[in-house]
Amino acid sequence: MKILYCNCTYAKVVPLEVKKDVLRRLSDSGQAFDAVADLCDMSARKDPALNKIASGGCTKIAACYPRAVKWLFHAAGTPVPDEGIKVLNMREDSADNIVRELLT
Amino acid sequence: MTRTEGKNLRVVLYEGPGSTRLEDDERFQTLSTLLDNGFEVTRPVAGQEVAPADDAPVLVLGLLDKHPPATPGQEVHFRSLSDGDPLGAAREVRETTGARKLEAWKPWFPVIDFDRCTNCMQCLTFCLFDVYGVDKQQQITVQNEDNCKTDCPACSRVCPEVAILFPKYGKGPINGDIVKEEDIQREAMKVDISTLLGGDLYGALRTRQRDARKRFSTERDESKALLERKRCLSKLKKDLDIPDEVLMTLPTAEDIEERTARARAKLEKRQAKSQTVRDKQATTTDWGI
């Protein structure tokens, strides 16, 4: 199981306290993870790094709306598989719930 | 929107053998600073999975006891956090490796939800900035992301299926939130621009201009005309959430008429030229007989 955290660096649409809290607890957890500055930016650049994230088994992604994340990957030419990807929405959900989902 | 090309530097925050474990605060601050400055960071832990390596340059950061040997086939750089600040190290390696430089920008472009899109092409017809195109399969596609006007979600407003997302937009469903039945109905009501304007946008603009000329030629009140224009633009802005910058770049009815007139004149000139050639050929034939 891989974990990907999106910092949504280039816009203030994810509540700051939620994303910082999630990052802090992920950082303290002893869990391995990948963190990207901004998935939208990577999608716009069709960054091949998205491919390595999308492929290779189960992944939990802490970012924003699942519909947005799904089509951002698709727009970059690296569609995520229907199975094995779980997107957690930091725009709507609490840090507690996100971290619980990430770490279990 | 301005985007820059190139590979991103991947920073690996290393705390394994040959290094000293970071304090929790230091680890978090390092992660946070690097991400806020646009770097990608991987925190590996023995026995756990992270994204595999690719050919992007890598910076290994940590409280390193000594510099480990370079990994063959990969551009890997090592910096110890005891030697300086992580952001400085990341910037320095980015320069050295020629990795992508970061610029302050907002990744703003439409993302199509193909589960909803019916390929009706309304977005392509509506967008004045050539953002959309069609692929070889005649499927709508976003082909010029760079042309998109930051903070303008107008094309998503005209999509009858609510299939266009702007993930950085504030409100749902344009931001990617779940599409509800009332969203579809609301969008359908307000977005059918061609219906609102009687089926022909440019025709409607011409009619509007003609009516306005009639009205204002008798009133001779230019300030009133200006106020009317401002009122209409404000309404358009409110209805479609179009930023001022985009409204200012919309062609006026005069621009459209001018372009049409130019195109027509060109066509007439070409037709006249063809006619002359035909006449000349006919005359030559007559002469030959």
Side-chain angles (χ1 to χ4, degrees), chain B residues 56-122:
Chain B
V58 174
L59 165 63
V60 178
L61 265 183
L63 288 171
L64 307 176
D65 301 337
K66 58 179 182 180
H67 285 193
T71 312
Q74 273 222 317
E75 197 177 355
V76 185
H77 301 255
F78 297 89
R79 296 288 182 279
S80 183
L81 286 168
S82 55
D83 295 338
D85 75 297
L87 189 56
R91 283 176 172 158
E92 179 238 310
V93 174
R94 184 180 64 200
E95 283 294 321
T96 312
T97 57
R100 176 176 172 249
K101 280 187 183 171
L102 303 153
E103 291 174 21
W105 75 299
K106 188 174 184 177
W108 184 271
F109 56 99
V111 176
I112 302 172
D113 175 347
F114 286 101
D115 283 344
R116 304 192 64 83
C117 177
T118 59
N119 214 29
C120 71
M121 305 288 168
Q122 283 212 39

Side-chain angles (χ1 to χ4, degrees), chain A residues 1-2 5 7-11 13 20 23-24 26-28 30-38 40-47 49 52 56 65 67-68 70-72 74 91-92, chain B residues 3-4 6 8 10 24-25 27-28 32 35-36 38 40-43 45 48-49 51-52 54 100 102 105 107 109 111-115 145 165 167-170 173 175-177 179:
Chain A
M1 170 66 72
K2 286 182 292 181
Y5 166 90
N7 195 53
C8 195
T9 297
Y10 300 108
V13 291
K20 289 294 177 198
L23 183 63
R24 173 78 209 212
L26 204 49
S27 168
D28 293 353
Q31 174 72 44
F33 65 94
D34 291 289
V36 297
D38 199 303
C40 291
D41 171 61
M42 295 175 83
S43 174
R45 290 185 292 109
K46 301 191 175 14
D47 192 327
K52 72 187 178 207
Y65 294 101
R67 193 163 74 101
K70 173 181 176 178
W71 295 108
L72 276 170
H74 186 277
R91 282 179 82 160
E92 293 286 339
Chain B
R3 58 186 170 143
T4 48
N8 260 357
R10 184 180 186 184
D24 284 352
D25 281 346
R27 185 187 312 107
F28 171 68
S32 205
L35 289 169
D36 289 344
E40 291 169 24
V41 189
T42 295
R43 190 205 175 192
V45 173
Q48 296 182 27
E49 199 181 355
D54 56 15
R100 176 176 172 249
L102 303 153
W105 75 299
F109 56 99
V111 176
I112 302 172
D113 175 347
F114 286 101
D115 283 344
E145 291 98 333
L165 318 177
K168 300 292 192 211
Y169 190 67
N175 59 13
D177 198 357
V179 180

Side-chain angles (χ1 to χ4, degrees), chain B residues 57-209:
Chain B
V58 174
L59 165 63
V60 178
L61 265 183
L63 288 171
L64 307 176
D65 301 337
K66 58 179 182 180
H67 285 193
T71 312
Q74 273 222 317
E75 197 177 355
V76 185
H77 301 255
F78 297 89
R79 296 288 182 279
S80 183
L81 286 168
S82 55
D83 295 338
D85 75 297
L87 189 56
R91 283 176 172 158
E92 179 238 310
V93 174
R94 184 180 64 200
E95 283 294 321
T96 312
T97 57
R100 176 176 172 249
K101 280 187 183 171
L102 303 153
E103 291 174 21
W105 75 299
K106 188 174 184 177
W108 184 271
F109 56 99
V111 176
I112 302 172
D113 175 347
F114 286 101
D115 283 344
R116 304 192 64 83
C117 177
T118 59
N119 214 29
C120 71
M121 305 288 168
Q122 283 212 39
C123 49
L124 185 143
T125 313
F126 177 78
C127 178
L128 293 167
F129 305 107
D130 209 21
V131 170
Y132 294 93
V134 287
D135 62 17
K136 285 175 187 166
Q137 288 76 42
Q138 297 300 305
Q139 176 74 51
I140 188 80
T141 184
V142 177
Q143 66 180 16
N144 295 312
E145 291 98 333
D146 283 351
N147 287 2
C148 194
K149 301 295 171 189
T150 302
D151 292 333
C152 175
C155 57
S156 64
R157 294 284 189 198
V158 303
C159 176
E161 301 299 329
V162 203
I164 298 173
L165 318 177
F166 284 89
K168 300 292 192 211
Y169 190 67
K171 296 174 194 163
I174 292 173
N175 59 13
D177 198 357
I178 294 165
V179 180
K180 303 181 193 83
E181 188 54 37
E182 57 260 37
D183 292 323
I184 299 169
Q185 284 170 6
R186 189 174 59 237
E187 298 305 316
M189 266 169 55
K190 76 181 171 194
V191 296
D192 195 347
I193 290 282
S194 57
T195 304
L196 281 173
L197 296 175
D200 176 4
L201 177 62
Y202 293 151
L205 283 170
R206 279 194 296 274
T207 307
R208 184 180 184 79
Q209 186 192 36

Side-chain angles (χ1 to χ4, degrees), chain A residues 60-102:
Chain A
K60 289 179 180 173
I61 303 173
C64 59
Y65 294 101
R67 193 163 74 101
V69 173
K70 173 181 176 178
W71 295 108
L72 276 170
F73 274 85
H74 186 277
T78 54
V80 287
D82 289 334
E83 301 283 318
I85 301 283
K86 184 165 195 176
V87 179
L88 305 161
N89 184 358
M90 292 193 289
R91 282 179 82 160
E92 293 286 339
D93 216 345
S94 68
D96 284 347
N97 285 346
I98 303 279
V99 173
R100 190 168 50 245
E101 289 282 348
L102 283 176

